[in-house]
Amino acid sequence: MLRSPVAWIPSRHGGQLAAPTVEYVEGRPGAIYRRPEGTPVVAPVNGTIESFGEQGDAGLVIALRSSSGNVVVLSHLMRTLTTLTVGQSVTQGQVLALVGHSGKSAANRLRMEIQDVDGKYVDPLIGRTRQAAAPSDIAEGLQGDALK
């Protein structure tokens, strides 16, 4: 799988434009890529189109089923660049759509969610589910009075 479905763009201040962040919506983690409207979005995996179209708050969405069985969902798109049909094969790196702010999004961005073959949502930036064990170098969170 490609690390990013959008290109890294140099910012005016040097470096890269806004590294992706993780946002949780109804318990589902998604990587948020802030990019200018019209930035090309590519298929991050080889697979098939599972669904596409307007989906409420997520706006224009493309769902891809990878050859390994994972589902990658790309949302808040401005528009697709090709005619898409359910079951159509796509190739990793193939340009599919443009970044937008469709649905319930006030800013231009792309949200990418990944669901594994067991139906569990995977954190797209670290490649594991929330229920999986944390890496050994991460301590437990603050509890009780320590939160104050």
Side-chain angles (χ1 to χ4, degrees):
M1 181 165 166
L2 295 176
R3 290 270 305 162
S4 174
V6 290
W8 289 98
I9 302 168
S11 74
R12 289 179 262 199
H13 309 291
Q16 302 297 328
L17 181 68
T21 58
V22 175
E23 167 189 80
Y24 285 84
V25 174
E26 297 177 0
R28 300 182 330 265
I32 303 299
Y33 297 87
R34 288 167 182 79
R35 297 293 183 272
E37 183 174 52
T39 300
V41 176
V42 301
V45 295
N46 290 323
T48 58
I49 303 288
E50 182 158 285
S51 65
F52 70 95
E54 292 289 331
Q55 292 187 7
D57 291 350
L60 181 58
V61 173
I62 299 174
L64 308 170
R65 181 164 299 273
S66 73
S67 53
S68 64
N70 295 334
V71 176
V72 178
V73 178
L74 306 168
S75 57
H76 301 295
L77 303 169
M78 182 170 79
R79 66 181 176 95
T80 60
L81 292 178
T82 61
T83 301
L84 301 177
T85 57
V86 173
Q88 174 185 339
S89 293
V90 295
T91 305
Q92 185 181 60
Q94 177 182 341
V95 178
L96 299 176
L98 301 175
V99 169
H101 56 269
S102 61
K104 193 174 182 180
S105 175
N108 298 320
R109 68 191 201 146
L110 171 72
R111 178 180 167 89
M112 181 176 75
E113 295 179 4
I114 302 172
Q115 193 174 13
D116 69 15
V117 294
D118 296 324
K120 295 179 181 162
Y121 285 89
V122 175
D123 182 318
L125 299 183
I126 61 173
R128 66 178 177 89
T129 63
R130 283 176 45 176
Q131 293 77 23
S136 60
D137 60 346
I138 296 179
E140 291 296 318
L142 297 176
Q143 302 295 322
D145 290 337
L147 286 173
K148 296 177 185 175

